Amino acid sequence: MCSSDLTLSVRLAIEGEPDGSRVKLRSIAPLTLAGITVSDARNQKLLDRVTLSVAPSVDYTPARLSARLADLSLAMTTGDSLSGEIAADVANPGAKPSTEFRARLQAKLVTLAKPFLAFDPGVLAINLESEGRHEGDVLRVAKARAFVNRDADKLLASVELLQALRADLKAGQVAAESNAGPTARVRAGAIPLNWAEPYVAGAKLAGEFSGAILELTVRSKEDVALRTTEPVALRGVNASVDGKPLVEGTDVSAGFSAHLRGQKLGYELSTLEVRQGAAALASLNAAGEVSLDAKAPAASAKGKLEADAGALLRQPALAGLANLARGRVAATFDVTAGKAVSAKATVNARGLATRTEPRELGDIEATVTAQLKEDGSGSVSAPVTVTNAGRKSDLQVDGSFGKGADKKTLTFNGRLTSANLVVDDLQALAALAPAGG
C-alpha cells in the first residue's frame, strides 16, 4: 500500500521531426516524487517518506531507441539512499531488437538490511556496475562488479567479472567467452565472529574471519571450477556454549579447490592448518571425487592428517577425550564408497605419554583395512605394533562380519594373533582412557 500524501514535480521538453522520424524527450529538471510511504497488508511501514528523483531522457528513431535514467536518487529520512544511472540502447526496436545496457548504482544501507539480519553490520556501502548486450536468446555480460563495504572503508565482500560471460537463455547454457583464465573473482573481507552468535543458542564467540579470495571459472554449466587464491582464515578464535569453553586462542586457515565436470565433482583440500600462536596443532590435506549421479552415487577421499595430539587435547572441547599429555600422530587414509565401501588407514603415534600419573607409553603403528559389501557383510584387518623402552609387541586383528541366517542378527568372527607380545605395554595403553572412562 502506498500513501497518497505525495509531492510530484515534472518539467519535460519534447523535440521531434514533423514526420515522426525522430522524437526526443528529456527532463529540464529532475523528475521528483516526494513523501512516498509504502506499507504492507498489516499497515507496517516498509518505506517511510521517501524522496525519488530522476532525470529521464528518450531518443527515438525507427532504427534505434535510446533511454537513460540519469541522476537517479532515492533518499529516506533514515539515511538509506540509492543513486546512479541506468541506460539502454535498442537497435532495430521492431522485429529483431538488440539491446545494449549499462548501469552504475551506489547504495547506502543504514536501516534497510537490519530486519533481515540477527546482528548489526553497521552502515553498508554498495557499489554496482554492469554492462552488456541482449539479442534474441543470447545475453552477453561484458562487465559486472559489486562491492560491499562496512564502516565506510572496510571491505565486506566483492564480486568482479574478469571476462565476458555469455548465456544462451533458450538452451540454458552459460559460459565465459574465453577458456583462458578465471571468469570471476570473489573477495571476502574481515568479519567479526560474534556476528554468528545469534544463530547458535548460548554461544559466545571472539576472533574474526579474516577474509579469503576465490576464483571461479565457468566453461559451461557442466564445467565449473572454484579455487582459493588466498586461504580462508579464522584468527584468534575463542568459543563457548552455555558458558562452557570449547576453543581457545586458535587460528585456522584452509585452501581448497573444486571442479565440476558433468556429474563428477572433484575436490582438493590443499591446506587445512590449526594453530595456537606459533604452535601447530593439526594439519590436513585431502583430495577426492563425488559422483552426483543419483543412480550411481559414489565418493572417494585420500589424504594425510598430522597432529600434536597432546596440544590438541588441551583445547577445552577435546580435553576429556584421552589422558594424553604428549604425542604426535600422523595418519594417511584412502576411502572409496559406492555400492561397496573400501577403506585403508595407516596411523603412527610417536612419543605418547599420559597426563595424570605421568607414564611413557612409547610408539604405536597400526594399519587398518576394511571392506563393506553391498549386502552388509565385510571384513577388517589391523596389524598393530607397540614399541616402548626397546621392547616391541605385535598384534594382528582379523575379522569378518555379516548378517546371520535370520537376516537380522549381526555376526562377527575374529582372530587375534601375535608373534611377540609384551602384555604390560598393551595394558599400559589403558591409561589413555579419560578419568571415569
Side-chain angles (χ1 to χ4, degrees):
M1 181 171 62
C2 185
S3 79
S4 58
D5 184 17
L6 303 176
T7 300
L8 177 63
S9 174
V10 183
R11 295 180 65 192
L12 299 175
I14 300 176
E15 304 173 10
E17 300 295 332
D19 60 0
S21 60
R22 185 167 191 172
V23 177
K24 299 174 70 175
L25 181 149
R26 62 181 177 85
S27 61
I28 298 174
L31 183 154
T32 301
L33 189 61
I36 304 172
T37 299
V38 179
S39 304
D40 61 16
R42 295 172 295 179
N43 206 34
Q44 292 182 335
K45 292 181 179 180
L46 304 177
L47 299 175
D48 185 26
R49 292 173 292 169
V50 174
T51 298
L52 172 65
S53 67
V54 64
S57 63
V58 177
D59 188 348
Y60 169 80
T61 68
R64 179 172 294 275
L65 171 64
S66 298
R68 181 184 178 203
L69 297 178
D71 300 326
L72 174 64
S73 175
L74 185 149
M76 301 175 60
T77 56
T78 55
D80 299 272
S81 63
L82 173 70
S83 62
E85 178 179 312
I86 301 173
D89 293 313
V90 183
N92 302 316
K96 295 182 178 180
S98 172
T99 304
E100 293 184 356
F101 60 87
R102 59 189 179 278
R104 291 174 178 80
L105 299 172
Q106 300 82 42
K108 180 181 179 182
L109 303 185
V110 178
T111 64
L112 287 180
K114 291 183 179 180
F116 306 99
L117 301 172
F119 57 89
D120 184 3
V123 178
L124 301 179
I126 303 173
N127 284 273
L128 303 173
E129 187 174 348
S130 178
E131 294 180 7
R133 179 185 181 92
H134 176 250
E135 183 173 4
D137 296 321
V138 176
L139 173 65
R140 181 181 185 271
V141 181
K143 184 177 184 180
R145 298 192 300 176
F147 294 87
V148 182
N149 287 352
R150 64 183 182 93
D151 297 334
D153 59 353
K154 296 179 182 178
L155 177 68
L156 185 61
S158 70
V159 181
E160 183 175 6
L161 199 63
L162 301 179
Q163 57 173 297
L165 197 64
R166 182 182 178 90
D168 187 323
L169 304 179
K170 185 175 182 179
Q173 296 287 342
V174 61
E177 288 195 338
S178 171
N179 289 334
T183 307
R185 180 178 293 118
V186 179
R187 296 177 183 266
I191 299 172
L193 294 183
N194 60 15
W195 281 8
E197 288 181 355
Y199 303 101
V200 183
K204 289 294 182 182
L205 302 173
E208 71 171 10
F209 168 78
S210 59
I213 300 179
L214 301 94
E215 289 185 345
L216 177 69
T217 302
V218 182
R219 295 187 176 91
S220 72
K221 68 177 183 180
E222 293 87 14
D223 189 349
V224 180
L226 179 69
R227 71 183 184 97
T228 55
T229 58
E230 287 191 10
V232 177
L234 305 176
R235 302 300 182 202
V237 180
N238 289 274
S240 65
V241 174
D242 296 330
K244 297 178 180 180
L246 298 177
V247 179
E248 292 180 346
T250 301
D251 299 333
V252 181
S253 63
F256 63 87
S257 64
H259 197 154
L260 177 67
R261 293 183 176 93
Q263 293 187 315
K264 300 287 187 180
L265 177 63
Y267 66 89
E268 181 181 6
L269 181 62
S270 55
T271 57
L272 172 61
E273 292 186 339
V274 182
R275 306 183 70 88
Q276 188 173 34
L281 302 185
S283 66
L284 172 67
N285 60 71
E289 187 177 78
V290 177
S291 173
L292 305 180
D293 186 351
K295 296 181 179 179
S300 66
K302 184 177 183 179
K304 183 177 182 180
L305 169 68
E306 294 182 340
D308 182 339
L312 196 60
L313 288 170
R314 286 194 286 274
Q315 284 293 316
L318 305 177
L321 295 182
N323 177 26
L324 188 67
R326 187 181 73 247
R328 298 197 66 85
V329 176
T332 60
F333 56 90
D334 190 349
V335 181
T336 59
K339 292 183 178 180
V341 178
S342 174
K344 182 177 181 179
T346 300
V347 180
N348 291 285
R350 305 290 184 188
L352 301 177
T354 56
R355 183 175 64 254
T356 59
E357 298 181 2
R359 183 174 184 176
E360 298 293 330
L361 302 179
D363 305 333
I364 300 175
E365 297 180 11
T367 299
V368 181
T369 303
Q371 305 285 337
L372 177 63
K373 299 179 182 179
E374 189 176 4
D375 62 4
S377 64
S379 62
V380 61
S381 174
V384 180
T385 301
V386 178
T387 304
N388 193 7
R391 303 182 300 272
K392 181 174 288 189
S393 298
D394 64 84
L395 184 66
Q396 176 70 42
V397 180
D398 293 291
S400 62
F401 55 90
K403 294 181 179 179
D406 60 1
K407 303 300 181 182
K408 296 180 181 179
T409 305
L410 181 65
T411 64
F412 181 83
N413 296 307
R415 183 178 66 172
L416 298 177
T417 60
S418 175
N420 185 60
L421 185 63
V422 181
V423 176
D424 288 346
D425 289 340
L426 293 181
Q427 287 181 331
L429 297 179
L432 290 173

